[in-house]
Amino acid sequence: MSALPHEPSSEASSDPYEFEFAEGPQTLAELRIALAAISPELLTAFNARLDAATFGWDHDEVIAKARRTVAFKKRAAEAAAQEEAAGAQQVDDPWAHLDVRDSTP
């Protein structure tokens, strides 16, 4: 039995470039809001590509690329927040002890 669009998939994908259909903005208004939040220039470029695209496959491809951009930016932000919350520790310089000899008078 497959999951409905609003339910998480039971099969975890190992492909980091794949995302569920229900992931990301579902309407053009939501997509435009999400793109504007990322970058106003990104929204302007999206609107220009969408206006230039013909209806059908070209139109769908422009929207799909923008949805992927939003989904991947969201994933990157979530991953960065998780790393920050985990308290990434600074690694000591393994060669620092060599600098000690050079600093003696």
Side-chain angles (χ1 to χ4, degrees):
M1 182 174 175
S2 64
L4 296 174
H6 65 278
E7 296 175 337
S9 174
S10 59
E11 299 175 5
S13 174
S14 61
D15 185 3
Y17 299 107
E18 185 178 330
F19 70 102
E20 298 289 325
F21 178 76
E23 185 177 357
Q26 298 297 307
T27 65
L28 280 178
E30 290 175 354
L31 182 57
R32 285 186 170 115
I33 290 169
L35 289 171
I38 294 171
S39 165
E41 293 83 18
L42 195 59
L43 175 61
T44 303
F46 167 73
N47 285 331
R49 284 192 303 270
L50 191 62
D51 290 342
T54 57
F55 282 97
W57 186 85
D58 291 338
H59 196 255
D60 293 343
E61 187 61 24
V62 169
I63 293 170
K65 284 181 180 180
R67 286 186 69 228
R68 284 192 296 270
T69 299
V70 169
F72 296 145
K73 292 282 186 180
K74 182 179 177 185
R75 283 184 185 176
E78 289 171 353
Q82 287 177 353
E83 285 180 10
E84 186 177 321
Q89 297 177 356
Q90 295 292 329
V91 177
D92 291 333
D93 182 10
W95 306 106
H97 71 280
L98 297 176
D99 294 336
V100 174
R101 283 189 294 163
D102 296 334
S103 64
T104 56

